[in-house]
Amino acid sequence: MRILITNDDGINGYGLFLLANHLKKYGEVIIVAPDTEKSASSHSIILRNNISFKKTNVIVGFEAYEISGTPVDCVRLAVSILGDFDIVFSGINNGLNIGTDIIYSGTVAAAREGYIEGIPSVAISTDYQNFECVEKSLDELLEYIIKNKIYSKDYVLNVNYPVKKASIKGYKFCKMGKKRFKTKFEKRDNNMYAPISNDITYDTNQNTDVYLADRGYITFVPLFVDMTNEEALNILRNQKYLKA
């Protein structure tokens, strides 16, 4: 396979290094990553400014490029400049992307852009600074994904390791859960505000990534780009006061 790897932690991200070295046995690996960390950049892109695209030897033995754009820009430029790819892997992110995290995540957004480009795409994340867990199990995880072909052009595959406190119990296919943030801000000088705390509430639905990651499972969630609420759409269409 011709494999594109990107991330939102930047070209020096340790998860990027791990992913590249563990994927090289499956084909030609090409790395295109942001030149600096772009965490929580979601699906943002550079619209009107130029984007640098520079070859780098930061990861020895791989064709690698660093760009001044976002994780989504990495995929856009890679496809435009370097040609077709068989699969996109984004990560391994230093921090989980479960539940509401998915909305903010540049890691998941890069995989989503791969999907938009018509390329099967996988995002992989681990709990913050929990790469020891990844190092022990990444070969097995990638073999499971690739040999069983659980990636697809029909969805984005979002993969998360369990939370740091939990040992790996196995794999679970599940749905995206709810992880709500209520952030408190404190006023500083010159009308500046700084986040000082996050009150986070977690899903208790037992079939979600949020619940299962907390209980030791590597989770697999197939994601759509189409965010239409079909049930609500059907209700609205059937309202008598609405015209066709």
Side-chain angles (χ1 to χ4, degrees):
M1 292 192 295
R2 194 164 192 250
I3 304 167
L4 173 63
I5 299 178
T6 189
N7 71 355
D8 74 359
D9 289 327
I11 192 68
N12 293 302
Y14 186 58
L16 190 76
F17 170 82
L18 284 178
L19 199 51
N21 278 285
H22 285 267
L23 279 171
K24 62 185 179 182
K25 66 181 178 182
Y26 295 104
E28 177 190 8
V29 171
I30 297 174
I31 300 163
V32 181
D35 55 9
T36 59
E37 183 182 349
K38 296 292 195 302
S39 294
S41 57
S42 189
H43 211 99
S44 62
I45 59 174
I46 304 298
L47 281 177
R48 297 178 178 85
N49 296 327
N50 294 334
I51 305 173
S52 67
F53 188 89
K54 301 176 182 178
K55 198 163 190 177
T56 176
N57 60 358
V58 68
I59 303 179
V60 177
F62 293 95
E63 182 180 347
Y65 304 85
E66 58 181 41
I67 80 163
S68 58
T70 68
V72 172
D73 288 324
C74 290
V75 178
R76 297 169 67 225
L77 266 72
V79 172
S80 176
I81 297 170
L82 303 175
D84 296 332
F85 293 90
D86 297 302
I87 192 167
V88 175
F89 277 89
S90 183
I92 296 169
N93 191 63
N94 186 19
L96 293 176
N97 282 307
I98 55 176
T100 314
D101 297 339
I102 293 169
I103 298 170
Y104 306 113
S105 171
T107 301
V108 177
R112 189 163 55 236
E113 185 66 22
Y115 166 91
I116 292 170
E117 293 279 357
I119 308 168
S121 298
V122 181
I124 304 178
S125 306
T126 189
D127 205 355
Y128 184 68
Q129 299 295 4
N130 195 27
F131 286 111
E132 182 179 354
C133 171
V134 175
E135 290 168 343
K136 293 176 181 177
S137 59
L138 186 56
D139 265 335
E140 181 181 340
L141 174 63
L142 293 175
E143 182 177 1
Y144 180 79
I145 293 170
I146 292 172
K147 290 198 173 180
N148 289 293
K149 293 186 178 179
I150 63 172
Y151 55 88
S152 173
K153 289 185 178 182
D154 295 329
Y155 54 80
V156 179
L157 184 65
N158 187 39
V159 182
N160 278 274
Y161 276 83
V163 298
K164 190 179 294 186
K165 66 182 182 182
S167 58
I168 297 175
K169 294 180 180 177
Y171 301 155
K172 289 285 187 180
F173 293 92
C174 57
K175 68 178 185 176
M176 173 184 166
K178 296 175 182 177
K179 180 180 176 184
R180 296 185 178 93
F181 292 84
K182 187 174 182 180
T183 305
K184 291 184 179 179
F185 292 86
E186 183 176 78
K187 189 175 182 179
R188 302 289 170 85
D189 294 335
N190 300 318
N191 292 318
M192 302 296 287
Y193 286 79
I196 57 172
S197 66
N198 279 307
D199 182 15
I200 306 175
T201 56
Y202 295 91
D203 206 328
T204 57
N205 185 322
Q206 296 184 16
N207 189 37
T208 66
D209 53 359
V210 174
Y211 182 91
L212 292 166
D214 189 53
R215 284 152 181 82
Y217 290 97
I218 293 178
T219 59
F220 301 85
V221 179
L223 301 172
F224 280 132
V225 171
D226 182 352
M227 294 185 287
T228 306
N229 185 323
E230 296 288 350
E231 182 179 354
L233 178 61
N234 289 331
I235 292 171
L236 291 169
R237 280 174 170 166
N238 291 325
Q239 296 297 318
K240 294 180 180 180
Y241 60 84
L242 290 177
K243 295 181 179 180

